[in-house]
Amino acid sequence: MKRAEDLDVAGRTVLVRSDFNVPLDGTTITDDGRIRAGLPTIGELLARDASVLVCAHLGRPKGDGYAARAAGGPSLRPVADRLAELLGRPVTLASDVAGESARVIASTLAPGEVAMCENVRFEAAETSKDDAVRGELAGRLAALADVYVGDGFGAMHRKHASVYDAPLLMPHAAGQLVLAEVAVLRQLTTSPARPYVVVLGGAKVSDKLAVIGNFVGLGRGGGVRASLGRGGGVRASTADRLLIAGGMAYTFLAAQGHRVGDSILQADQIPQVTEALADADKAGVEVVLPVDHVVADRFAADAEPEVVHGPDIPDGRMGLDIGPATRDLFARKLADARTVFWNGPPGVFEFPAFAAGTLAVAEAISHVTGLTVVGGGDSAAAVRHLNLPADAFTHISTGGGASLEYLEGRELPGLRALEAGS
Ligand code: ADP
Ligand code: MG
């Protein structure tokens, strides 16, 4: 993959596809980690006298046509303002994605100046399954600039116009964030130091079954999947231990015949989970499930937390965090790890009364000597709010779905496009 630093950019306009899909509370950014992660590439291009035009998406605009989507938002305005603060220079925001406003702004950008296109998902074509529809938007984006730098790692698993089609139309290279993310994921997939402990949490087991299949070594259909080579696509190394918590743990506990009360449960996934447990058993992967819980009678920040001892949860109660015995158990299971991958918070950390499990896991991982990687948008936001020392983890990934798909051994379209012809 060509690096942005190898491109000739002085005096040229560079279209930088970033992942600035930050969590918002109204128009307030609640975690700007993804914007900060994009600064090195943008800063380096500006230092080399490029004009930088940033393309990014935010949220999930809805509506049939461009006008409806643009009216409904969200606008990238708060992102452009935050980027300007962090860069210490103005960032002009076009009023459209790749229309008249973006064209005028792009053509008048001077070296060292920064502008942004509006939320690329205002264009329904961005996410279209139709190559020609995406291609038309990609053509308009490509016409705005001379070269393309892909730095939005968190969107690399999407075959979208600005991620996949646009780079194929112009000279292109990978930005520093993408190169850093891929380097870490390669370490996880190429003979990780052992014990290799994986902690998975989050809301839904269905999001993570495919990656679980890889961590337990067999996966549905059995057999080792061939290395896919380009665009990532190396099969995840089997874990030695898989610690399962968060909402997904209840489907595992239900699969083992435990009562889960009103906890979030994906009953339709029980057969797949049962199969994953059997695969883990055959492959000798130790699966560790919660042995106690912090529960409440409703899903709310002010709900009264109660500890339930043992794996079963009574009717009328829902599990919202792992309990104290599980926190200790997980810490013991992490203590001798030499490689850790953590994706998904083990509890509803957004509610302070149910955040102890997430804090305990973060602290236990911070004591591990070796490669420690946190992936997932919510997990990354959670650990940044914990104020742990800066070196608590080797790497906090900006990619949730993208990291998981890489570890699943799937090819990431955005990486494939950046690798094409370079
Ligand atoms: P990530 O973005 O890190 O990949 P996910 O998006 O998979 O993580 O899941 C994050 C969400 O999971 C959080 O909003 C958290 O509140 C929720 N969650 C964790 N534990 C539970 C639980 N026991 N019940 C319901 N939701 C949970
Ligand atoms: Mg998430």
Side-chain angles (χ1 to χ4, degrees), residues 304 363 415:
E304 189 64 40
E363 278 182 341
L415 287 184

Side-chain angles (χ1 to χ4, degrees), residues 201-204 207-208 246-247 250 264 299 319-321 343-350 375-380 400:
K204 288 183 171 177
D207 293 346
K208 297 178 186 175
Y250 306 110
I264 183 172
F299 189 88
L320 295 181
D321 195 10
N343 175 286
V348 185
F349 71 93
E350 296 93 334
D378 294 295
S379 319

Side-chain angles (χ1 to χ4, degrees), residues 157-172:
H157 58 314
R158 306 291 189 198
K159 194 177 180 182
H160 290 171
S162 66
V163 176
Y164 175 76
D165 304 87
L168 296 175
L169 299 177
M170 51 204 304
H172 55 256

